[in-house]
Amino acid sequence: MTQNTSPLRALLNVEASASVPKLSNAQMLDASENSAIRDIWLLPPDNPKLHAGRKVAVVATDGVEEIELNTVLHYFRSRGAQVDLIAPKSPPTRTSSDSKFPPCVKRTS
């Protein structure tokens, strides 16, 4: 990843403003059992070029949790990989919990 992003900015970039009460990403990351996920977001990668030049496909379907999806995408992108999200359909622009999903590119066969 070539741009320098503060850990707080990285988290805020994926944090959705809820229209209904929900557990925020920040609250989820604060739970002790999620320390590995928190480290991915808040600590700089040991080797930011670990996956440089690699193409990674993340496959997701209905029911994927926002924090889980965005953490996997962030992990690989922050270590230099080109990451594509593959899903059977594009996520809606707004979800019932007002989740924020990464941008999608529609491709046809």
Side-chain angles (χ1 to χ4, degrees):
M1 186 174 246
T2 57
Q3 66 186 103
N4 291 327
T5 304
S6 74
L8 179 58
R9 177 56 47 206
L11 181 59
L12 292 175
N13 285 341
V14 297
E15 182 66 40
S17 59
S19 59
V20 294
K22 71 170 193 145
L23 186 62
S24 74
N25 288 341
Q27 290 172 310
M28 178 125 15
L29 290 175
D30 198 36
S32 61
E33 61 270 19
N34 293 332
S35 62
I37 294 173
R38 182 175 52 248
D39 290 349
I40 289 171
W41 281 103
L42 300 180
L43 299 177
D46 292 333
N47 182 357
K49 296 182 188 264
L50 179 65
H51 298 297
R54 293 184 179 166
K55 294 181 180 182
V56 175
V58 176
V59 180
T61 189
D62 295 339
V64 66
E65 293 289 334
E66 174 188 4
I67 187 72
E68 294 168 351
L69 177 62
N70 283 311
T71 298
V72 171
L73 296 172
H74 172 74
Y75 174 85
F76 285 106
R77 287 178 178 155
S78 66
R79 286 156 179 80
Q82 174 190 329
V83 183
D84 290 313
L85 173 60
I86 299 180
K89 60 184 178 182
S90 295
T93 53
R94 291 256 184 226
T95 64
S96 60
S97 63
D98 202 26
S99 295
K100 182 178 180 181
F101 287 93
C104 294
V105 175
K106 290 185 180 183
R107 298 191 180 169
T108 57
S109 321

